[in-house]
Amino acid sequence: MDYLLQLAADPAAWVALVTLVAMEIVLGIDNLIFISILTNKLPAQHRTKARRIGIGLALIMRLGLLGTIAIIVTLTQPIFSVFGHPFSWRDLILISGGLFLVWKATKEIHHNVDPDPGSDMFETSKVSIGFGAAIVQILMLDLVFSIDSIITAVGMTEHIPIMIIAVIAAVTVMLLAADPLAKFIEANPTVVMLALGFLIMIGMTLIAEGFGAHVPKGYVYAAMAFSSGIEVLNMMVRRASRKKGAH
């Protein structure tokens, strides 16, 4: 109790908390885009439930990982080398998650571009997915983003209560934003393609990070913000054109 009171009275702890909450929310955007696109392929009556279960399990997973933080920190230790370049468990997890994101986004783009793709390696003839399959895929990406998020948090503060509050705040924002974002993406088909492009960029960033090439997150999110701004302008132009046509 005394430890918590001392922490609450420490201005540096409050700065760390605000910074970490903001960072966790920004990192959660990647996860939220994937969840929104994936759950939109479910029957309408199951989408909200799938989002809530997926995000709820993400919260449990992140809190569980915080409980094993001593083990999480060791994931950054090299376990083998290839041509002199060391790889850790974190690197392997990031590479695997990045490859999965790139594959999944490419599959969805292929399905959206080709209205009659037929039977191929992407199996795009199956428009919808099962509820259980959606939850499993959400958890797979949750694990990747959670481990990356926890390791980043450890680098910013050593106080577990601050990490817990930041994780709960970020997941709460994700929970509140999930349905509006998914409905917005569903109502605007061009936004779907933009979001899939974001997923490919995020996937490539994860792969690059796994191979030791640090990509500043600010560049990635600046590119996403710029592209989103252009798409908003395109939506305004299309809306104005429809109004002209109606008149």
Side-chain angles (χ1 to χ4, degrees):
M1 188 65 181
D2 291 338
Y3 167 70
L4 294 177
L5 290 175
Q6 290 176 0
L7 201 60
D10 185 2
W14 284 100
V15 172
L17 176 61
V18 172
T19 305
L20 195 54
V21 167
M23 186 207 71
E24 291 286 343
I25 290 173
V26 171
L27 291 177
I29 293 172
D30 306 343
N31 206 356
L32 197 55
I33 291 173
F34 176 78
I35 291 174
S36 298
I37 291 176
L38 186 64
T39 54
N40 278 347
K41 297 184 73 65
L42 290 170
Q45 65 270 24
H46 297 318
R47 293 174 185 173
T48 298
K49 182 180 178 182
R51 291 179 202 119
R52 289 176 179 172
I53 291 177
I55 296 173
L57 290 175
L59 174 60
I60 295 172
M61 185 181 297
R62 293 189 184 193
L63 293 177
L65 288 174
L66 282 174
T68 59
I69 201 163
I71 298 174
I72 296 297
V73 172
T74 63
L75 294 179
T76 58
Q77 301 300 317
I79 54 175
F80 66 89
S81 297
V82 177
F83 299 114
H85 179 75
F87 288 90
S88 64
W89 281 113
R90 175 181 178 269
D91 296 332
L92 298 180
I93 291 170
L94 291 180
I95 292 170
S96 300
L99 289 172
F100 176 75
L101 265 185
V102 171
W103 172 79
K104 188 68 179 176
T106 303
K107 172 182 174 181
E108 295 301 325
I109 289 174
H110 185 270
H111 173 75
N112 280 278
V113 170
D114 191 347
D116 187 22
S119 178
D120 63 7
M121 65 176 290
F122 294 110
E123 297 181 359
T124 47
S125 58
K126 298 178 181 179
V127 177
S128 59
I129 60 175
F131 185 86
I135 297 299
V136 169
Q137 292 184 46
I138 289 172
L139 283 179
M140 287 172 61
L141 261 296
D142 279 344
L143 178 62
V144 175
F145 287 121
S146 294
I147 289 177
D148 192 34
S149 171
I150 297 302
I151 290 175
T152 304
V154 170
M156 294 183 65
T157 181
E158 60 182 13
H159 302 295
I160 300 295
I162 291 178
M163 298 182 198
I164 292 174
I165 294 172
V167 166
I168 292 174
V171 174
T172 300
V173 171
M174 287 174 60
L175 197 58
L176 294 174
D179 283 347
L181 178 62
K183 290 175 183 176
F184 178 76
I185 289 176
E186 184 183 17
N188 298 274
T190 55
V191 174
V192 174
M193 199 60 66
L194 182 64
L196 290 171
F198 288 162
L199 290 182
I200 290 180
M201 182 170 64
I202 293 163
M204 294 303 296
T205 301
L206 291 176
I207 294 171
E209 292 274 356
F211 280 99
H214 177 64
V215 181
K217 292 292 193 297
Y219 292 161
V220 176
Y221 294 119
M224 291 172 65
F226 179 78
S227 302
S228 299
I230 297 298
E231 180 58 27
V232 169
L233 292 175
N234 284 330
M235 291 170 62
M236 293 171 66
V237 169
R238 287 195 295 269
R239 188 175 301 170
S241 297
R242 284 196 297 268
K243 286 183 179 179
K244 280 185 180 180
H247 290 311

